[in-house]
Coordinates of all heavy atoms in Angstrom, one line a residue:
G110 N 68.6 145.0 32.8 CA 69.6 144.0 32.4 C 70.2 144.3 31.1 O 71.3 143.9 30.8
Y111 N 69.4 145.0 30.2 CA 69.9 145.2 28.9 C 71.0 146.3 28.8 O 71.7 146.5 27.8 CB 68.8 145.7 28.0 CG 68.1 144.5 27.3 CD1 67.2 143.7 28.1 CD2 68.3 144.1 26.0 CE1 66.6 142.6 27.5 CE2 67.7 143.0 25.5 CZ 66.9 142.2 26.2 OH 66.3 141.1 25.7
W112 N 71.3 147.0 30.0 CA 72.4 147.9 30.0 C 73.7 147.2 29.8 O 74.7 147.8 29.3 CB 72.4 148.8 31.3 CG 71.2 149.7 31.2 CD1 70.0 149.7 31.8 CD2 71.2 151.0 30.5 NE1 69.3 150.7 31.5 CE2 70.0 151.5 30.7 CE3 72.1 151.6 29.6 CZ2 69.6 152.8 30.1 CZ3 71.8 152.8 29.1 CH2 70.5 153.4 29.3
F113 N 73.8 146.0 30.3 CA 75.0 145.2 30.1 C 74.9 144.1 29.1 O 75.8 143.4 28.8 CB 75.4 144.5 31.5 CG 76.1 145.5 32.4 CD1 75.5 145.8 33.6 CD2 77.3 146.1 32.1 CE1 76.1 146.7 34.5 CE2 78.0 146.9 33.0 CZ 77.3 147.3 34.1
A114 N 73.7 144.0 28.5 CA 73.5 143.0 27.4 C 74.0 143.5 26.1 O 74.3 144.7 26.0 CB 72.0 142.7 27.3
A115 N 74.3 142.6 25.2 CA 74.7 143.1 23.9 C 73.7 143.9 23.3 O 72.5 143.6 23.2 CB 74.9 141.8 23.0
P116 N 74.0 145.1 22.8 CA 73.0 146.1 22.4 C 72.3 145.8 21.1 O 71.3 146.3 20.8 CB 73.8 147.4 22.2 CG 75.2 147.0 22.0 CD 75.4 145.7 22.7
I117 N 72.8 144.9 20.3 CA 72.1 144.6 19.0 C 72.0 143.1 18.8 O 71.8 142.6 17.7 CB 72.9 145.2 17.8 CG1 74.3 144.7 17.8 CG2 72.8 146.7 17.9 CD1 75.1 145.2 16.6
G118 N 72.0 142.3 19.8 CA 71.7 140.9 19.7 C 72.9 140.0 19.7 O 74.0 140.5 20.0
P119 N 72.8 138.8 19.2 CA 73.9 137.8 19.4 C 75.1 138.1 18.6 O 76.2 137.6 18.8 CB 73.2 136.5 19.0 CG 72.1 136.9 18.2 CD 71.6 138.2 18.7
Q120 N 75.0 138.9 17.5 CA 76.2 139.2 16.7 C 77.1 140.2 17.3 O 78.2 140.3 16.9 CB 75.7 139.6 15.3 CG 75.0 138.6 14.5 CD 74.6 139.1 13.1 OE1 74.2 140.3 13.0 NE2 74.6 138.3 12.1
Q121 N 76.6 140.9 18.3 CA 77.5 141.9 19.0 C 78.0 141.3 20.3 O 77.2 140.8 21.1 CB 76.7 143.2 19.3 CG 77.4 144.2 20.2 CD 78.5 144.8 19.4 OE1 78.4 145.1 18.3 NE2 79.6 145.1 20.1
N122 N 79.3 141.2 20.4 CA 79.8 140.6 21.6 C 79.5 141.5 22.9 O 79.7 142.7 22.8 CB 81.4 140.5 21.5 CG 81.7 139.5 20.4 OD1 81.0 138.5 20.2 ND2 82.8 139.7 19.8
P123 N 79.1 140.9 24.0 CA 79.0 141.6 25.2 C 80.4 142.1 25.7 O 81.4 141.5 25.3 CB 78.3 140.6 26.2 CG 78.7 139.3 25.7 CD 78.9 139.5 24.2
P124 N 80.4 143.1 26.6 CA 81.7 143.5 27.1 C 82.3 142.4 27.9 O 81.6 141.5 28.5 CB 81.3 144.7 28.0 CG 79.9 144.6 28.3 CD 79.3 143.9 27.2
P125 N 83.6 142.3 28.0 CA 84.3 141.2 28.8 C 83.9 141.4 30.3 O 83.6 142.5 30.8 CB 85.8 141.5 28.6 CG 85.9 142.8 28.0 CD 84.6 143.2 27.4
R126 N 84.0 140.3 31.0 CA 83.6 140.3 32.4 C 84.4 141.2 33.2 O 83.8 141.9 34.2 CB 83.7 138.9 33.0 CG 82.6 137.9 32.5 CD 82.7 136.6 33.3 NE 81.7 135.7 32.8 CZ 81.5 134.5 33.3 NH1 82.3 134.0 34.3 NH2 80.5 133.7 32.8
W127 N 85.6 141.4 32.9 CA 86.5 142.3 33.7 C 86.0 143.8 33.6 O 86.0 144.5 34.5 CB 87.9 142.2 33.4 CG 88.4 142.7 32.1 CD1 88.4 142.0 30.9 CD2 88.8 144.0 31.8 NE1 88.9 142.8 29.9 CE2 89.1 144.1 30.4 CE3 88.9 145.2 32.5 CZ2 89.5 145.2 29.8 CZ3 89.4 146.3 31.9 CH2 89.7 146.4 30.5
K128 N 85.5 144.1 32.4 CA 84.9 145.5 32.2 C 83.6 145.6 33.0 O 83.4 146.7 33.6 CB 84.7 145.8 30.7 CG 85.9 146.1 30.0 CD 85.6 146.6 28.6 CE 86.9 147.0 27.8 NZ 86.6 147.6 26.5
V129 N 82.8 144.6 33.0 CA 81.5 144.7 33.8 C 81.9 144.8 35.2 O 81.2 145.5 36.0 CB 80.7 143.4 33.5 CG1 79.5 143.4 34.4 CG2 80.2 143.4 32.0
A130 N 82.9 144.0 35.7 CA 83.3 144.1 37.1 C 83.8 145.5 37.5 O 83.5 146.0 38.5 CB 84.4 143.0 37.4
V131 N 84.6 146.1 36.6 CA 85.1 147.4 36.9 C 84.0 148.4 37.0 O 83.9 149.2 37.9 CB 86.1 147.9 35.8 CG1 86.4 149.4 35.9 CG2 87.4 147.1 35.9
V132 N 83.0 148.4 36.0 CA 81.9 149.3 36.1 C 81.0 149.1 37.3 O 80.6 150.0 38.0 CB 81.0 149.2 34.8 CG1 79.8 150.1 34.9 CG2 81.9 149.6 33.6
T133 N 80.8 147.8 37.7 CA 80.0 147.5 38.9 C 80.7 148.0 40.1 O 80.1 148.7 41.0 CB 79.8 146.0 39.0 OG1 79.2 145.5 37.8 CG2 79.0 145.6 40.2
W134 N 82.0 147.9 40.2 CA 82.8 148.4 41.3 C 82.7 149.9 41.4 O 82.6 150.5 42.4 CB 84.2 147.9 41.3 CG 85.0 148.5 42.5 CD1 85.1 147.9 43.7 CD2 85.8 149.6 42.5 NE1 85.9 148.7 44.5 CE2 86.4 149.8 43.8 CE3 86.2 150.6 41.5 CZ2 87.2 150.8 44.2 CZ3 87.0 151.6 41.9 CH2 87.5 151.7 43.2
L135 N 82.9 150.5 40.2 CA 82.8 152.0 40.1 C 81.5 152.5 40.6 O 81.4 153.7 41.1 CB 83.1 152.5 38.7 CG 84.5 152.4 38.2 CD1 84.6 152.8 36.7 CD2 85.4 153.4 39.0
G136 N 80.4 151.7 40.5 CA 79.1 152.1 41.0 C 78.9 151.8 42.5 O 78.5 152.6 43.3
I137 N 79.3 150.6 42.9 CA 79.1 150.2 44.3 C 80.0 150.9 45.3 O 79.5 151.3 46.3 CB 79.3 148.6 44.4 CG1 78.1 147.9 43.7 CG2 79.4 148.2 45.9 CD1 78.2 146.4 43.7
F138 N 81.3 151.1 45.0 CA 82.2 151.8 45.9 C 81.7 153.1 46.4 O 81.5 153.4 47.6 CB 83.6 151.9 45.4 CG 84.5 152.7 46.2 CD1 84.9 152.3 47.4 CD2 84.8 154.0 45.8 CE1 85.8 153.1 48.2 CE2 85.6 154.8 46.6 CZ 86.1 154.4 47.8
P139 N 81.4 154.1 45.4 CA 80.9 155.4 45.9 C 79.5 155.3 46.6 O 79.2 156.1 47.5 CB 80.9 156.3 44.7 CG 81.0 155.3 43.5 CD 81.6 154.1 44.0
T140 N 78.7 154.4 46.1 CA 77.3 154.3 46.7 C 77.4 153.8 48.1 O 76.8 154.4 49.0 CB 76.5 153.3 45.8 OG1 76.4 153.7 44.5 CG2 75.1 153.2 46.4
V141 N 78.2 152.8 48.4 CA 78.4 152.3 49.8 C 79.1 153.4 50.6 O 78.6 153.6 51.8 CB 79.2 151.0 49.8 CG1 79.6 150.6 51.2 CG2 78.4 149.9 49.1
Y142 N 80.1 154.0 50.1 CA 80.8 155.1 50.8 C 79.8 156.2 51.2 O 79.8 156.6 52.4 CB 81.9 155.6 50.0 CG 82.8 156.6 50.7 CD1 83.6 156.2 51.8 CD2 82.8 157.9 50.3 CE1 84.4 157.1 52.4 CE2 83.6 158.9 51.0 CZ 84.4 158.5 52.0 OH 85.2 159.4 52.7
F143 N 79.0 156.6 50.3 CA 78.0 157.7 50.5 C 77.0 157.2 51.6 O 76.7 158.0 52.5 CB 77.3 158.0 49.2 CG 76.1 158.9 49.4 CD1 76.3 160.2 49.6 CD2 74.8 158.4 49.4 CE1 75.2 161.1 49.7 CE2 73.7 159.2 49.6 CZ 73.9 160.6 49.8
L144 N 76.6 156.0 51.5 CA 75.6 155.5 52.5 C 76.2 155.4 53.9 O 75.6 155.7 54.9 CB 75.0 154.2 52.1 CG 74.1 154.3 50.9 CD1 73.7 152.9 50.4 CD2 72.8 155.1 51.2
F145 N 77.5 155.0 54.0 CA 78.2 154.9 55.2 C 78.4 156.3 55.9 O 78.3 156.4 57.1 CB 79.6 154.2 55.1 CG 79.5 152.7 55.4 CD1 79.3 151.9 54.3 CD2 79.7 152.2 56.6 CE1 79.3 150.5 54.5 CE2 79.6 150.9 56.9 CZ 79.4 150.0 55.8
L146 N 78.6 157.3 55.0 CA 78.7 158.7 55.6 C 77.4 159.3 56.0 O 77.3 160.1 56.9 CB 79.4 159.6 54.5 CG 80.9 159.3 54.2 CD1 81.4 160.2 53.1 CD2 81.7 159.4 55.5
T147 N 76.3 159.0 55.3 CA 75.0 159.7 55.5 C 74.0 158.9 56.3 O 73.3 159.4 57.1 CB 74.4 160.0 54.1 OG1 74.2 158.9 53.3 CG2 75.3 161.0 53.4
V148 N 73.9 157.6 56.0 CA 72.8 156.8 56.7 C 73.3 156.0 57.8 O 72.7 155.9 58.9 CB 72.2 155.8 55.6 CG1 71.1 155.0 56.2 CG2 71.6 156.7 54.5
A149 N 74.5 155.4 57.7 CA 75.0 154.4 58.7 C 75.1 155.1 60.1 O 74.8 154.4 61.1 CB 76.4 153.9 58.3
P150 N 75.5 156.3 60.3 CA 75.6 156.9 61.6 C 74.2 156.9 62.4 O 74.2 156.7 63.6 CB 76.0 158.3 61.4 CG 76.8 158.3 60.1 CD 76.1 157.3 59.3
F151 N 73.1 157.0 61.6 CA 71.8 157.0 62.2 C 71.4 155.5 62.6 O 70.4 155.4 63.3 CB 70.8 157.6 61.3 CG 71.0 159.0 61.0 CD1 71.6 159.4 59.8 CD2 70.7 160.0 61.9 CE1 71.8 160.7 59.5 CE2 71.0 161.3 61.7 CZ 71.5 161.7 60.4
L152 N 72.1 154.5 62.1 CA 71.7 153.2 62.4 C 72.7 152.5 63.4 O 72.6 151.3 63.6 CB 71.8 152.3 61.1 CG 71.0 152.9 59.9 CD1 71.2 152.0 58.7 CD2 69.5 153.0 60.2
A153 N 73.5 153.3 64.0 CA 74.6 152.7 64.9 C 74.0 151.9 66.0 O 74.6 150.9 66.4 CB 75.4 153.9 65.4
A154 N 72.8 152.3 66.5 CA 72.2 151.5 67.6 C 71.4 150.3 67.2 O 71.0 149.5 68.0 CB 71.2 152.5 68.4
W155 N 71.3 150.1 65.9 CA 70.6 148.9 65.4 C 71.4 147.7 65.5 O 72.6 147.8 65.4 CB 70.2 149.1 63.9 CG 69.1 150.1 63.6 CD1 68.8 151.2 64.3 CD2 68.3 150.1 62.5 NE1 67.8 151.9 63.7 CE2 67.4 151.2 62.5 CE3 68.1 149.3 61.4 CZ2 66.5 151.5 61.6 CZ3 67.2 149.6 60.4 CH2 66.4 150.7 60.5
P156 N 70.8 146.5 65.6 CA 71.6 145.3 65.5 C 72.2 145.1 64.1 O 71.7 145.7 63.2 CB 70.5 144.2 65.8 CG 69.4 144.9 66.5 CD 69.4 146.3 66.0
L157 N 73.2 144.4 64.1 CA 74.0 144.2 62.8 C 73.1 143.8 61.6 O 73.2 144.3 60.5 CB 75.2 143.3 63.0 CG 76.1 143.1 61.8 CD1 76.7 144.4 61.3 CD2 77.1 142.0 62.1
L158 N 72.4 142.7 61.8 CA 71.6 142.1 60.7 C 70.6 143.1 60.1 O 70.7 143.3 58.8 CB 70.9 140.9 61.1 CG 70.2 140.1 60.0 CD1 71.1 139.7 58.9 CD2 69.5 138.9 60.5

Side-chain angles (χ1 to χ4, degrees):
Y111 274 76
W112 286 101
F113 281 114
I117 58 175
Q120 291 179 328
Q121 173 70 37
N122 293 327
R126 286 187 181 182
W127 71 268
K128 285 190 176 184
V129 173
V131 168
V132 174
T133 304
W134 180 83
L135 286 172
I137 289 177
F138 170 73
T140 302
V141 171
Y142 185 68
F143 171 77
L144 291 173
F145 267 92
L146 292 177
T147 58
V148 178
F151 297 103
L152 307 178
W155 287 29
L157 179 62
L158 185 59

